Amino acid sequence: MAIRTILHYPDTRLRNKGLPVEAVSPAIHQLIDDMAETMYAAPGVGLAATQIGEALSIFLIDIAGEDQPSDLRVFINPEIVKREGNQSWEEGCLSFPGVSEDIKRAERVTVRALDRDGKPFELEADGLLAVAIQHEYDHLMGVLMIDHVGPLKKRMMARTVQKTIGSERRA
Ligand code: NI
């Protein structure tokens, strides 16, 4: 396993779409293991393959709290087939260091995907899990949290990322 470099906004590779995974091969398992290690090291609650420059339709989510056992969920070739209701959460993103912003999302989603073994599953989710699924699914469409806010907040978010990266480099 290896920790991979997470791309930061405005890296144009974050706009690439995740292409369907043809077969859940050993190479895909290797990529998933790298993604998990990268996500936990960050640390973050979700990571899409496009965030590490791999244009494949895969994301991982683990929303377990710090004092809870890990609960890694793997989504390969995910498809959100139903969205209901509205909610707003303060979201962060590993590609936007230092940024947290209220984003409007559906309250409940139904997602179909393949698991780590390539087995199809369907999941109905609400609350934080539904938010995380929509956030990561956006990544696979080349859509970022900055696309959900107005022009003033866009500028502030871009500036916060630059400042945060700058101070990390100096540290
Ligand atoms: Ni993100």
Side-chain angles (χ1 to χ4, degrees):
M1 295 209 292
I3 294 177
R4 308 277 292 263
T5 303
I6 297 172
L7 305 178
H8 293 146
Y9 180 83
D11 194 304
T12 53
R13 287 171 288 174
L14 290 169
R15 296 303 187 177
N16 291 340
K17 290 191 169 71
L19 303 173
V21 173
E22 305 276 340
V24 183
S25 62
I28 294 296
H29 281 157
Q30 177 69 56
L31 174 60
I32 289 168
D33 290 346
D34 284 358
M35 286 173 65
E37 195 175 1
T38 304
M39 180 179 81
Y40 288 125
V45 299
L47 185 72
T50 49
Q51 289 181 275
I52 58 165
E54 299 281 356
L56 286 169
S57 184
I58 304 171
F59 65 72
L60 310 183
I61 291 175
D62 187 342
I63 57 163
E66 277 172 34
D67 49 351
Q68 293 171 310
S70 67
D71 180 24
L72 183 65
R73 295 165 188 264
V74 177
F75 299 78
I76 300 171
N77 298 344
E79 203 183 336
I80 294 179
V81 294
K82 201 169 165 191
R83 299 172 190 253
E84 288 174 301
N86 294 289
Q87 62 174 331
S88 181
W89 279 77
E90 195 173 303
E91 295 184 23
C93 178
L94 295 175
S95 295
F96 288 81
V99 170
S100 59
E101 193 59 59
D102 283 331
I103 307 285
K104 289 193 188 82
R105 303 277 186 188
E107 186 195 0
R108 190 187 314 276
V109 296
T110 305
V111 60
R112 287 187 194 140
L114 304 177
D115 68 13
R116 194 193 146 85
D117 301 317
K119 214 176 100 211
F121 68 95
E122 185 175 295
L123 174 71
E124 197 183 309
D126 58 13
L128 176 57
L129 183 56
V131 167
I133 288 168
Q134 291 170 82
H135 180 116
E136 300 309 329
Y137 184 77
D138 266 5
H139 275 298
L140 300 183
M141 300 290 128
V143 174
L144 304 172
M145 60 187 288
I146 201 166
D147 303 327
H148 290 277
V149 302
L152 181 64
K153 279 190 176 164
K154 268 193 178 65
R155 277 210 299 279
M156 284 168 55
M157 282 168 74
R159 206 174 301 156
T160 302
V161 171
Q162 288 313 312
K163 265 193 205 160
T164 307
I165 294 172
S167 60
E168 278 170 2
R169 287 209 180 111
R170 280 192 298 274

